[in-house]
Amino acid sequence: MEDNTMKKRKLAVVSLLLSIAMLLSACAGNPSSGEGSSKDSKTPPSSSSGSAAEPESKPAAENTDRGENWVTDTPVTLKVWCMKQADIEDIATNEYIKWLQKETNVNLEFDQIAEAESLQKFNLSLASGSYPDVYLSCNQLINMSATIMNSTLMKFGKAGVFLPLNDLIEQYGANTKKLFDDISYVKDGITMPDGNIYALPSYSEIYHCKYADKLWIDQSWLDNLKLEMPTTTDEYYEVLKAFKEQDANGNGDPNDEIPLAGCTDGWNSDPSFFLMNAFIYEDGDKHLTVENDTVDTILNKDEFREGLRYVHKLYDEGLMYSESYAQDSTQMKSLNSASPNVVGSFPIGAPMIVMDAGSDLYKTCVTVPPLKGPQGHQSCSYYEYGNLRVGAFMITSACNDPEVAFKLADFMYTEDSSVRLRQGVKDVDWRMAKEGEKTFDGKPATYARITPLVTNGGAQNQHFGNSGMFRESNDSFIGAWAVQDGFDIRSLDGIEQLLIEQTWPYDGFEPKQTLPPVVFTEEEAAEVSTIEVEVQKYAKEQRVLFITGQKSLDTDWDSYVTNLKNLGLDRLVELYNTAYQRQYVK
């Protein structure tokens, strides 16, 4: 049996990959949820709550250390329905939950729902008529989009199952109101059309996740062939041709190079997403734009067709791997991890998803800055608002102590709570930085790790991963963390710093406006969910057919546009515009 120290040092699933899953759930959950007016600062300051002293180690019911975070003098027990991520051993004994209970004097009894069956169990719980006091981590439910979540909140909020939180926020929500003040779109993004807030969100501001649609290239191949980093679509085409024809990996075989490869299920792993931004802004999700406070689609635009024509050219000339729209991320990882490397460029939000961290390609890949297209367009996908995840914390009509439940939720927004939730146990997994310790980019550090942020798998019970309620700045996640002398940014420990560094070339190429987290009425949501599924499915299928040449962008384009119209694309845009105008155009 391993002793406790060793167990603590074997932290489990990579925190980075948990963050990636969050954006996909369209970080990911919902990458297109963004504000439609001028943007807030990309990396706003962390909250200044600091780190509270460790409370006495005894059961919450016996804790008499009434610190600033004390929620209730009389111990209160809340029954909590909570989705359990696979990497957490046991929510009830999780170190963060134990700390939270001691800090607040609130006992939590959990109904732990396995991630794989969370959506089904959530719907069954709501239909049962027998509710917990609190629903927690419902923002992480598998296959539940923000549109469906908001519709659920409206339906059960109006029915009285979810309590409106407006008055509680006004009376007790110091940290919640600070979030509203600091991040201008949050309050609008969680306020339902009836004016009520039925759920509090989690909010994360990881810098590199905002620019998740990245294209990576093997710098060693450019160096081998004495090529410059491409800056236009024409230059990128010429680089790919050189990769294909000139033995870029230097192994003596000019025929084993794959200039560009993608896959079907990675985090922004479709090559056409990045490349389309040289022709028209592509969000990689809903394919909607906001300009002059008006929502529109790119799917039927001539610029979109020209972008598809360019990507088809790469595919047709063998510059793109023929299996890019057939292989999954596991297959791509095998391809990218070969030695010597055989892949010259690839799209992905974070490279370790599609290659081994020790592979040749991982050591030499760098990001390609946004390319300028033939008409001068140059942009990058920007998910400024994708990390607002609705439905993290709901209080139900079954709760006898809604004030206590809300105060608990509001406390979870403090930096102290959020860092512990995401990073583990203070002075075991991490500590406050010492004077003179610096971040990877030379700034004074706030935090320092004791155990590694990234390890090689297994369940853990030190932190709460992506679950629960938190407000996370980029600094509190990784930007303000110390690195040691000789720090290797290409090591497992350097993954997050590498992603920050490789995101810098994209900063400033985002559009002035992107789609905010719009909230639909029940009736609108029902219509949107029906139309959007059909439009997205058809558009995705046709994109691949056009790129691979199974359909012609000349002879089949008009029928494609007509079919989109028949599926309700115009009505979909109208519904988004209606919701947008209602929320954001005063």
Side-chain angles (χ1 to χ4, degrees):
M1 295 276 300
E2 295 175 316
D3 61 27
N4 288 335
T5 301
M6 288 300 294
K7 287 181 179 177
K8 289 173 181 175
R9 291 186 178 276
K10 284 192 170 182
L11 290 180
V13 173
V14 178
S15 295
L16 165 70
L17 297 182
L18 291 175
S19 301
I20 290 172
M22 166 188 89
L23 292 171
L24 286 173
S25 63
C27 197
N30 181 17
S32 286
S33 60
E35 187 181 17
S37 54
S38 61
K39 299 186 296 293
D40 293 298
S41 171
K42 296 183 182 65
T43 53
S46 308
S47 63
S48 57
S49 60
S51 295
E54 288 284 1
E56 220 176 316
S57 181
K58 51 188 171 183
E62 300 175 11
N63 193 348
T64 57
D65 180 11
R66 289 162 171 73
E68 61 180 306
N69 305 316
W70 197 252
V71 168
T72 174
D73 287 334
T74 303
V76 169
T77 296
L78 297 177
K79 294 181 179 180
V80 181
W81 187 105
C82 186
M83 193 206 79
K84 178 182 174 295
Q85 291 182 180
D87 75 302
I88 296 175
E89 289 177 0
D90 183 357
I91 292 176
T93 60
N94 185 272
E95 291 296 334
Y96 168 73
I97 295 298
K98 288 162 63 177
W99 173 83
L100 181 67
Q101 292 179 125
K102 295 173 190 174
E103 187 75 5
T104 61
N105 202 33
V106 179
N107 294 304
L108 302 175
E109 293 182 356
F110 287 95
D111 184 6
Q112 304 185 38
I113 309 301
E115 187 173 7
E117 56 183 7
S118 58
L119 180 56
Q120 178 189 16
K121 291 292 183 68
F122 179 60
N123 290 330
L124 288 173
S125 177
L126 289 175
S128 71
S130 178
Y131 309 116
D133 296 310
V134 168
Y135 285 98
L136 181 65
S137 297
C138 296
N139 57 320
Q140 289 294 96
L141 294 182
I142 296 173
N143 297 325
M144 194 167 197
S145 69
T147 299
I148 298 174
M149 176 61 81
N150 283 332
S151 178
T152 301
L153 293 175
M154 273 292 294
K155 177 180 178 180
F156 289 93
K158 288 172 65 176
V161 176
F162 299 140
L163 300 185
L165 305 178
N166 305 49
D167 292 343
L168 292 169
I169 291 170
E170 186 60 34
Q171 190 168 359
Y172 304 111
N175 296 305
T176 305
K177 287 188 284 187
K178 188 177 189 309
L179 174 61
F180 292 171
D181 290 341
D182 291 348
I183 314 298
S184 62
Y185 63 89
V186 170
K187 185 175 181 180
D188 281 338
I190 64 173
T191 301
M192 299 297 109
D194 65 359
N196 286 321
I197 294 172
Y198 294 111
L200 294 178
S202 285
Y203 178 80
S204 178
E205 194 171 312
I206 301 174
Y207 172 67
H208 71 80
C209 292
K210 294 184 177 184
Y211 300 86
D213 188 5
K214 300 179 179 70
L215 182 69
W216 301 77
I217 197 166
D218 190 334
Q219 181 64 53
S220 72
W221 284 22
L222 293 174
D223 295 342
N224 289 345
L225 301 181
K226 295 181 173 53
L227 298 171
E228 298 293 325
M229 178 69 72
T231 61
T232 69
T233 51
D234 286 344
E235 290 176 3
Y236 182 59
Y237 169 77
E238 293 300 331
V239 164
L240 295 184
K241 283 191 66 177
F243 283 177
K244 179 177 172 59
E245 298 168 357
Q246 299 179 31
D247 189 23
N249 64 8
N251 70 342
D253 182 357
N255 300 311
D256 66 347
E257 284 82 1
I258 299 171
L260 169 63
C263 66
T264 59
D265 63 343
W267 184 28
N268 291 295
S269 61
D270 182 334
S272 69
F273 289 172
F274 175 89
L275 296 172
M276 188 61 67
N277 273 288
F279 297 84
I280 191 172
Y281 177 69
E282 164 68 278
D283 65 13
D285 179 46
K286 295 183 182 300
H287 319 296
L288 295 173
T289 60
V290 180
E291 190 171 354
N292 297 322
D293 285 331
T294 301
V295 181
D296 201 358
T297 180
I298 69 171
L299 293 175
N300 54 9
K301 300 296 186 290
D302 288 340
E303 295 89 344
F304 181 70
R305 175 165 63 166
E306 293 312 303
L308 292 178
R309 197 184 301 279
Y310 175 79
V311 182
H312 167 65
K313 178 182 178 181
L314 303 185
Y315 184 91
D316 190 51
E317 295 187 19
L319 303 180
M320 184 195 299
Y321 186 48
S322 61
E323 297 300 308
S324 292
Y325 290 99
Q327 69 174 350
D328 61 21
S329 55
T330 300
Q331 293 167 307
M332 188 171 175
K333 186 171 186 176
S334 177
L335 192 71
N336 283 355
S337 300
S339 182
N341 173 45
V342 296
V343 176
S345 59
F346 59 96
I348 201 71
M352 73 292 304
I353 298 174
V354 290
M355 70 186 66
D356 294 333
S359 65
D360 293 345
L361 183 54
Y362 185 78
K363 297 172 185 175
T364 55
C365 64
V366 296
T367 49
V368 178
L371 299 173
K372 184 177 290 188
Q375 302 304 316
H377 186 85
Q378 187 177 23
S379 64
C380 65
S381 301
Y382 188 54
Y383 309 132
E384 182 173 8
Y385 315 102
N387 289 344
L388 173 67
R389 297 181 290 166
V390 297
F393 193 101
M394 291 92 86
I395 303 172
T396 78
S397 57
C399 183
N400 292 322
D401 298 284
E403 291 182 5
V404 168
F406 178 80
K407 289 178 181 179
L408 176 76
D410 188 73
F411 167 61
M412 293 174 80
Y413 278 141
T414 63
E415 184 165 344
D416 188 22
S417 178
S418 296
V419 170
R420 292 169 188 264
L421 182 150
R422 294 282 277 150
Q423 303 282 351
V425 180
K426 184 184 178 186
D427 295 327
V428 174
D429 300 310
W430 60 275
R431 57 175 172 79
M432 303 305 294
K434 300 173 184 176
E435 185 175 355
E437 289 188 304
K438 303 290 186 182
T439 65
F440 84 103
D441 52 352
K443 298 174 184 177
T446 304
Y447 306 104
R449 293 212 64 83
I450 299 171
T451 59
L453 172 64
V454 177
T455 57
N456 291 320
Q460 56 80 34
N461 227 25
Q462 300 292 96
H463 58 77
F464 218 47
N466 271 335
S467 300
M469 277 270 298
F470 55 90
R471 176 190 175 174
E472 176 178 64
S473 69
N474 184 68
D475 279 353
S476 67
F477 178 67
I478 199 67
W481 290 73
V483 299
Q484 304 304 313
D485 292 341
F487 175 73
D488 181 3
I489 202 169
R490 296 279 172 168
S491 69
L492 268 179
D493 289 342
I495 284 173
E496 288 292 342
Q497 287 86 351
L498 174 67
L499 288 171
I500 292 175
E501 179 186 76
Q502 293 300 318
T503 297
W504 289 337
Y506 294 82
D507 204 325
F509 289 97
E510 65 277 5
K512 293 180 179 179
Q513 293 184 295
T514 54
L515 186 68
V518 294
V519 177
F520 299 103
T521 66
E522 272 192 87
E523 294 77 14
E524 289 170 345
E527 196 173 357
V528 166
S529 60
T530 299
I531 297 173
E532 197 162 54
V533 168
E534 294 303 317
V535 166
Q536 293 275 41
K537 179 182 176 183
Y538 178 74
K540 182 177 181 180
E541 291 171 348
Q542 299 305 303
R543 178 190 290 247
V544 173
L545 293 175
F546 284 131
I547 289 172
T548 57
Q550 298 174 69
K551 280 198 171 182
S552 168
L553 285 160
D554 295 317
T555 60
D556 295 316
W557 179 258
D558 289 345
S559 62
Y560 157 77
V561 172
T562 298
N563 288 339
L564 282 174
K565 184 179 181 68
N566 292 339
L567 288 171
L569 179 61
D570 293 345
R571 175 58 177 161
L572 184 65
V573 172
E574 180 184 1
L575 288 164
Y576 269 96
N577 256 317
T578 298
Y580 176 86
Q581 299 294 323
R582 181 171 59 230
Q583 288 176 252
Y584 298 99
V585 180
K586 308 301 182 184

